[in-house]
């Protein structure tokens, strides 16, 4: 994920929905299966481009993402999907690495 900058992140705890309201499916050489529980969400983007990615990091090191037109939309997805309150997001400005 070259040039991605993380702008918000949150650690998911037992007070959050997990699994969330959206089903994410991993398809690989082992077949099709749900992702392991997610432990962290990170919102990242590439400066100078439109949109933000909501990165989902699972406890087993796998992950997935969703694309959103704005930072607010990505935060709203985290709120709807996992019940992450807006005040829980930590503001960061650092290179993103999965």
């Amino acid at each position: 994920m070259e040039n991605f900058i993380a702008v918000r992140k949150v650690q998911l705890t037992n007070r959050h929905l997990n699994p969330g309201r959206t089903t994410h499916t991993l398809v690989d050489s082992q077949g099709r299966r749900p992702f392991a529980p997610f432990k962290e969400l990170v919102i990242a983007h590439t400066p100078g481009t439109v949109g933000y990615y909501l990165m989902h990091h699972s406890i087993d090191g796998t992950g997935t993402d969703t694309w959103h037109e704005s930072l607010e939309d990505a935060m709203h997805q985290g709120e709807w999907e996992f019940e992450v309150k807006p005040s829980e997001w930590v503001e960061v400005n650092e290179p993103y690495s999965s």
Side-chain angles (χ1 to χ4, degrees):
M1 297 258 162
E2 284 184 44
N3 303 321
F4 270 71
I5 301 295
V7 295
R8 299 282 191 284
K9 65 181 173 181
V10 64
Q11 297 296 314
L12 297 176
T13 67
N14 61 359
R15 83 144 220 87
H16 299 107
L17 296 180
N18 209 346
R21 290 186 173 110
T22 301
T23 301
H24 297 273
T25 304
L26 178 63
V27 179
D28 62 11
S29 62
Q30 298 175 15
R32 176 184 290 269
R33 64 188 185 283
F35 277 89
F38 295 114
K39 65 177 182 173
E40 177 184 55
L41 302 175
V42 176
I43 300 173
H45 76 115
T46 301
T49 65
V50 175
Y52 291 80
Y53 290 88
L54 178 58
M55 310 295 194
H56 302 62
H57 298 165
S58 67
I59 60 172
D60 68 358
T62 59
T64 190
D65 63 75
T66 55
W67 184 87
H68 304 274
E69 288 187 11
S70 69
L71 175 60
E72 293 76 18
D73 287 347
M75 291 174 67
H76 178 73
Q77 179 65 27
E79 183 174 14
W80 179 82
E81 189 172 348
F82 297 100
E83 295 188 355
V84 174
K85 295 178 183 175
S87 62
E88 293 180 275
W89 290 100
V90 175
E91 189 171 339
V92 295
N93 184 20
E94 60 194 26
Y96 172 77
S97 60
S98 54

